[in-house]
């Protein structure tokens, strides 16, 4: 088990993620093994203090039990939340909480102006029926608790700048809670000064995460299958300016590692330094519908079975990565940073994950 870099993970008392099928999770279905309930079937309160989440909280508090979590993938939210957002550990050691989550993730607007290989094969928009369904849920079950929420993060399902639904709920949330802040997940194509000011959120942004996954035009076209690299680089300059003027607290560019882009990783770190951003690396979430490889092993450069695995290891052992070890997924830290013995352990752990997945 990979231990969190804090005494306790504070996520179960501070955050909730709502996905596009209605299922709710403490952080994400990629890192957590069990849904807390479905927002279409239960009230917000039934999910936030239901049997499932209370059992998870109790296990963490009294047993230090993280068996519900995929700890080999965990991004150590407990420590990052305290440092980045000022969230605190629970004052009372209770599995029931009277407080609503301080951070809510919205991952239900699948509209997107890109067709990244990790997500989708074509540009997509929410259907009229989907918009109506989510409007009802948002107004009835989510909006009433927004006045208690400190930060809303969107959009983990698509591009918030591209979906009318996402833009409409931003306006609705600001009407209910003028002090609310936003964490924004974006591919950067439409993230420019004109659009952000039109939304009225230039002074309401806590964190910006830009999904880039590349550092060169050539690699960008392989990942996104479109040529928007120059436009995104220009918009990254605007975000840098926001950061320099203290209009945003955190600026992160994200890199999902796969066999198409791993050689860009050193250049990605240099780019992050140039624009005053924090580089963040994560492992692939293989998408069988976004055709790239004939099988997952071909796609997954972090697999010991990949034909270019040793080349990948040589790259991430370069000195340029030493400063950013804590920005890497815990699983990657076992690859070859601490000698040949750990490489053997890596192979063993890999096969264990394949067996139990």
């Amino acid at each position: 088990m990979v231990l969190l870099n804090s005494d306790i993970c504070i996520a179960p008392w501070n955050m909730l993620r709502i996905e596009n099928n209605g299922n709710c999770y403490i952080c994400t279905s990629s890192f957590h093994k069990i849904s807390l309930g479905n927002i279409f079937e239960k009230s917000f309160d039934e999910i936030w203090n239901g049997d499932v989440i209370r059992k998870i909280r109790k296990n963490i508090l009294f047993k230090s039990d993280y068996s519900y979590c995929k700890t080999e993938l965990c991004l150590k939210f407990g420590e990052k939340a305290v440092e980045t957002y000022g969230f605190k550990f629970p004052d009372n050691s209770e599995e029931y909480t009277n407080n609503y989550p301080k951070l809510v993730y919205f991952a239900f607007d699948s509209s997107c102006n890109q067709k990244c290989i990790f997500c989708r094969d074509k540009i997509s928009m929410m259907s009229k029926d989907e918009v109506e369904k989510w409007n009802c849920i948002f107004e009835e079950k989510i909006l009433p608790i927004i006045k208690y929420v400190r930060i809303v993060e969107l959009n983990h399902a698509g591009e918030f700048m591209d979906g009318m639904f996402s833009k409409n709920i931003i306006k609705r949330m600001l009407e209910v809670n003028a002090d609310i802040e936003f964490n924004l997940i974006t591919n950067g194509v439409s993230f420019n000064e004109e659009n952000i000011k039109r939304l009225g959120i230039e002074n309401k942004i806590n964190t910006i995460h830009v999904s880039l996954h590349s550092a060169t035009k050539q690699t960008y076209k392989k990942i996104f299958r479109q040529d928007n690299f120059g436009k995104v680089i220009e918009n990254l300059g605007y975000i840098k300016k926001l950061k320099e003027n203290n209009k945003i607290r955190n600026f992160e560019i994200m890199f999902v590692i796969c066999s198409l882009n791993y050689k860009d990783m050193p250049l990605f770190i240099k780019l992050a330094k140039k624009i005053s951003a924090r580089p963040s690396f994560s492992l692939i979430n293989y998408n069988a519908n976004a055709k790239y490889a004939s099988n997952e092993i071909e796609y997954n450069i972090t697999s010991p079975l990949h034909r270019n695995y040793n080349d990948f290891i040589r790259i991430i052992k370069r000195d340029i990565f030493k400063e950013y070890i804590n920005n890497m997924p815990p699983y990657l830290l076992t690859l070859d940073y601490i000698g040949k013995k750990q490489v053997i352990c890596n192979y063993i752990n890999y096969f264990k994950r394949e067996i139990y997945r």
Side-chain angles (χ1 to χ4, degrees):
M1 171 179 172
V2 178
L3 296 177
L4 303 177
N5 283 355
S6 58
D7 293 331
I8 184 174
C9 176
I10 64 173
W13 289 267
N14 287 280
M15 61 185 288
L16 188 77
R17 175 178 168 120
I18 307 172
E19 301 205 335
N20 55 13
N21 59 5
N23 285 338
C24 299
Y25 296 86
I26 289 171
C27 46
T28 163
S29 56
S30 298
F31 296 165
H32 217 255
K33 298 176 183 177
I34 186 169
S35 168
L36 307 176
N38 192 290
I39 196 70
F40 294 115
E41 300 166 0
K42 296 182 177 181
S43 70
F44 198 96
D45 288 330
E46 287 174 321
I47 293 170
W48 184 237
N49 274 310
D51 292 340
V52 177
I53 195 169
R54 289 175 70 175
K55 184 174 182 180
I56 293 169
R57 290 172 184 151
K58 187 174 182 178
N59 282 4
I60 291 173
L61 284 171
F62 301 112
K63 302 178 184 177
S64 297
D65 177 5
Y66 291 89
S67 57
Y68 285 99
C69 306
K70 299 176 184 178
T71 51
E72 74 276 9
L73 300 177
C74 179
L75 298 179
K76 306 176 185 177
F77 180 87
E79 181 186 42
K80 187 181 290 186
V82 174
E83 174 188 335
T84 305
Y85 308 122
F87 292 172
K88 297 178 180 179
F89 300 128
D91 294 328
N92 301 312
S93 296
E94 300 287 346
E95 62 266 27
Y96 180 91
T97 177
N98 291 315
N99 298 318
Y100 282 109
K102 295 180 178 67
L103 173 60
V104 178
Y105 286 65
F106 290 161
F108 44 71
D109 185 349
S110 57
S111 304
C112 192
N113 55 13
Q114 291 274 54
K115 45 184 180 179
C116 166
I117 63 169
F118 304 124
C119 304
R120 63 197 84 235
D121 260 347
K122 57 185 179 181
I123 293 170
S124 61
M125 294 292 291
M126 282 183 87
S127 69
K128 183 178 178 181
D129 288 343
E130 287 177 311
V131 171
E132 289 179 359
K133 177 179 71 174
W134 274 108
N135 266 332
C136 291
I137 291 296
F138 181 79
E139 292 288 336
E140 177 188 344
K141 298 185 178 182
I142 302 173
L143 194 60
I145 65 98
I146 288 298
K147 60 184 175 183
Y148 305 106
V149 173
R150 186 174 151 200
I151 300 171
V152 165
E153 181 156 315
L154 46 92
N155 178 0
H156 287 251
E159 171 57 45
F160 85 98
M161 290 297 303
D162 205 46
M164 284 306 300
F165 178 73
S166 288
K167 288 188 278 192
N168 285 338
I169 65 172
I170 286 174
K171 293 177 182 177
R172 292 289 288 128
M173 288 186 284
L174 287 171
E175 291 170 1
V176 170
N177 183 352
D179 295 324
I180 201 166
E181 295 180 356
F182 296 96
N183 291 350
L184 302 171
I185 310 286
T186 178
N187 56 44
V189 174
S190 302
F191 199 104
N192 56 47
E193 185 172 6
E194 180 182 356
N195 287 334
I196 294 302
K197 285 186 173 179
R198 186 182 295 124
L199 274 176
I201 58 173
E202 192 175 38
N203 296 309
K204 299 287 183 183
I205 302 172
N206 183 296
T207 300
I208 299 174
H209 307 271
V210 181
S211 298
L212 192 56
H213 317 308
S214 57
T216 62
K217 181 177 181 178
Q218 294 75 15
T219 304
Y220 183 93
K221 288 180 72 173
K222 292 177 184 177
I223 300 297
F224 291 97
R225 296 179 281 197
Q226 295 184 83
D227 186 9
N228 290 312
F229 187 71
K231 187 183 296 185
V232 173
I233 293 297
E234 181 180 342
N235 292 339
L236 290 175
Y238 164 59
I239 302 173
K240 178 186 178 183
K241 193 182 301 182
L242 290 177
K243 182 74 164 59
E244 290 172 344
N245 293 333
N246 296 315
K247 289 193 173 183
I248 60 173
R249 188 175 299 176
N250 306 291
F251 176 22
E252 179 179 82
I253 55 175
M254 299 187 294
F255 192 106
V256 176
I257 303 164
C258 75
S259 52
L260 280 179
N261 64 6
Y262 74 96
K263 291 183 180 180
D264 269 21
M265 291 172 69
L267 291 175
F268 186 78
I269 289 178
K270 291 179 180 179
L271 173 62
K273 289 184 175 182
K274 183 178 178 180
I275 60 175
S276 304
R278 179 176 63 194
S280 175
F281 296 95
S282 59
L283 304 184
I284 65 164
N285 184 14
Y286 180 69
N287 180 10
N289 295 318
K291 299 296 184 185
Y292 154 63
S294 58
N295 57 63
E296 186 171 355
I297 293 300
E298 185 179 348
Y299 193 76
N300 185 3
I301 189 67
T302 68
S303 163
L305 301 181
H306 197 282
R307 61 186 180 278
N308 294 325
Y309 174 75
N310 290 332
D311 187 39
F312 167 66
I313 293 298
R314 280 193 292 271
I315 286 176
I316 65 171
K317 286 180 69 178
R318 293 183 186 176
D319 288 344
I320 194 170
F321 288 95
K322 290 181 179 178
E323 182 182 348
Y324 297 99
I325 280 183
N326 289 333
N327 299 61
M328 306 282 275
Y331 161 56
L332 286 187
L333 301 186
T334 69
L335 289 175
D336 200 9
Y337 281 107
I338 50 178
K340 294 181 180 179
K341 186 180 294 186
Q342 189 59 58
V343 174
I344 297 172
C345 291
N346 173 48
Y347 275 82
I348 294 171
N349 290 336
Y350 173 80
F351 286 113
K352 281 182 179 178
R353 284 199 310 279
E354 291 301 298
I355 291 170
Y356 294 111
R357 190 167 63 173

